Amino acid sequence: MKGSSKIIFANQLRGIAALLVVLSHLVCVFWRAKDAVSAYTGAPPADGDQPWIGAFINGAYWNFGALGVAIFFTISGFVIPMSLHHTGRLRFIAARFFRIYPTYIVAVGLALTVVWLSCRYWGHPFMWDFGTVLRNMLLIHTLTGTPSVDLVNWTLAIELKFYLVAALIAPLILAGRVWPLIAASALIFAVNKFSHTALGTEMLFVSFMFIGVLFNYLFNGLISLVRFYLAFVVVLGLFLGGWNASPWPDAFWAVTPNYLYGLMIFGAAYLLRNHFRNFRLLDFLADISYPLYIVHSLIGYSVMRILFDHGLKLRVVAPITAATVIGAALIIHLLVERPSIALGKKFKKSSRAPAPLAPTAAETGPAA
């Protein structure tokens, strides 16, 4: 595996992806899905319409939220083989456990605390019972038919499944084998075609993440450009076909173009990777992207709704909300995420593994 000097682009794309998701949710979803926001914050639906800029964030043919998720998923596929390269399967799973769970549990706990305070403010009961919260914190909610408590952890549940698949076929991934990715994508397509299940739908996104793995193969010289293109077309075709066969084909034209945009953006950044340099703002957003991804929706919605109730205008509400969610994410990053990453890295050390790559935030964040 090559060193990390040329994957600054992946790290900075993570910061951009986080910003896209936050803008989509706080600028558009807050206004367009008032009933859902109300149900998740215990607040009455907000009055008014979204600001004019919302039309540029979520339009008829693009959606910043779906675009950000697509970029996150592609980055995960790209960087996870680098983590596999450092260690064996069990150590990889242990490292991923410490990477995902401590930060998620603390972040969602903080977000739900803010929701509880919001419910108290509005005089409504808290909407979730202990069992629902626990299954969400364990990220098994999608397997048990439990609703999400934070509206964003569906992607983390998919991430965990990708990690398990990657661990299962680790030797084949490290050898740059293409056929397992195609075979798994074909199987996932068949499951969605003939048996609509929640697990099959989640695995559909795992097949999309295989495209990031193909970029990793190309980056490390494990496959030729021709084989990359051929495999890219096959896996992408199976993903798109599987989506059309999923339980929500009506969303095909509203959502899937954003996954194509995400691949285009990632591909363009990959081609220009040697021109990327450290940029403080994007590096900062990348550093806090994982906790920011978790806390921004519930905390942002709750804070915005209360501030509007006090008669404040959007020009005041927006910076206060941004500072609140970024501040919460930064605190969690410093107090929980960094220590848990350091603990997880201990599991990557193996006497059989090559020397570790230089640390890079491209291997951390909401989708890695």
Side-chain angles (χ1 to χ4, degrees):
M1 292 278 173
K2 294 182 181 180
S4 64
S5 61
K6 295 183 181 179
I7 58 175
I8 293 175
F9 84 95
N11 183 44
Q12 294 185 349
L13 278 182
R14 190 181 303 285
I16 293 172
L19 182 61
L20 292 175
V21 173
V22 171
L23 287 173
S24 175
H25 289 168
L26 298 187
V27 178
C28 297
V29 174
F30 178 83
W31 300 102
R32 294 185 182 181
K34 295 179 181 179
D35 290 341
V37 171
S38 174
Y40 276 82
T41 60
D47 297 324
D49 300 315
Q50 73 173 16
W52 62 269
I53 196 173
F56 296 94
I57 293 173
N58 287 355
Y61 303 104
W62 65 88
N63 182 298
F64 276 19
L67 174 59
V69 169
I71 295 173
F72 279 138
F73 280 159
T74 309
I75 295 170
S76 274
F78 180 70
V79 302
I80 284 303
M82 299 176 188
S83 293
L84 282 170
H85 181 69
H86 291 157
T87 185
R89 290 186 179 97
L90 293 180
R91 289 175 179 268
F92 168 77
I93 293 297
R96 290 291 97 189
F97 175 89
F98 284 103
R99 178 68 193 92
I100 293 294
Y101 277 102
T103 300
Y104 178 70
I105 290 171
V106 172
V108 78
L110 175 62
L112 290 175
T113 300
V114 173
V115 170
W116 179 81
L117 293 172
S118 174
C119 291
R120 295 272 295 179
Y121 176 87
W122 296 104
H124 295 156
F126 186 66
M127 64 287 295
W128 305 117
D129 58 55
F130 176 78
T132 297
V133 173
L134 179 61
R135 287 188 287 274
N136 272 264
M137 285 188 168
L138 295 176
L139 295 172
I140 60 171
H141 56 293
T142 58
L143 299 177
T144 59
T146 304
S148 170
V149 298
D150 63 11
L151 298 170
V152 298
N153 61 1
W154 64 276
T155 62
L156 299 180
I158 291 168
E159 285 285 332
L160 294 179
K161 294 170 180 63
F162 175 63
Y163 299 157
L164 292 175
V165 171
L168 181 65
I169 62 174
L172 298 172
I173 288 178
L174 294 177
R177 299 291 185 262
V178 170
W179 68 263
L181 308 183
I182 295 177
S185 297
L187 177 61
I188 292 167
F189 168 81
V191 169
N192 279 283
K193 182 68 175 178
F194 301 108
S195 177
H196 293 171
T197 64
L199 179 59
T201 302
E202 287 187 294
M203 294 303 292
L204 179 64
F205 294 95
V206 172
S207 68
F208 180 83
M209 295 163 79
F210 288 154
I211 297 175
V213 177
L214 291 173
F215 272 105
N216 179 279
Y217 288 176
L218 186 64
F219 177 73
N220 286 290
L222 299 176
I223 58 174
S224 67
L225 188 60
V226 172
R227 290 187 67 200
F228 167 81
Y229 280 130
L230 291 175
F232 179 98
V233 170
V234 172
V235 175
L236 179 60
L238 290 168
F239 166 73
L240 295 175
W243 184 294
N244 207 32
S246 74
W248 12 265
D250 293 342
F252 184 86
W253 292 110
V255 180
T256 53
N258 296 281
Y259 283 77
L260 299 179
Y261 305 153
L263 290 175
M264 292 170 62
I265 291 172
F266 185 91
Y270 176 85
L271 290 174
L272 298 172
R273 61 191 181 277
N274 292 331
H275 299 283
F276 279 74
R277 299 292 182 269
N278 289 323
F279 182 61
R280 184 169 297 180
L281 177 59
L282 288 181
D283 293 340
F284 171 74
L285 287 175
D287 287 344
I288 68 167
S289 60
Y290 182 29
L292 179 63
Y293 181 78
I294 299 166
V295 304
H296 78 272
S297 58
L298 293 185
I299 293 180
Y301 295 152
S302 300
V303 169
M304 288 175 68
R305 190 63 190 87
I306 292 173
L307 293 177
F308 281 129
D309 186 58
H310 283 275
L312 298 179
K313 301 297 183 181
L314 180 61
R315 61 179 179 272
V316 177
V317 172
I320 293 177
T321 303
T324 301
V325 297
I326 291 173
L330 177 60
I331 291 171
I332 294 171
H333 170 68
L334 294 175
L335 298 184
V336 181
E337 187 178 23
R338 275 188 176 178
S340 63
I341 289 175
L343 182 60
K345 284 182 177 179
K346 294 181 179 180
F347 289 90
K348 289 185 178 181
K349 297 178 180 179
S350 170
S351 59
R352 295 177 301 165
L357 301 178
T360 169
E363 294 186 72
T364 65

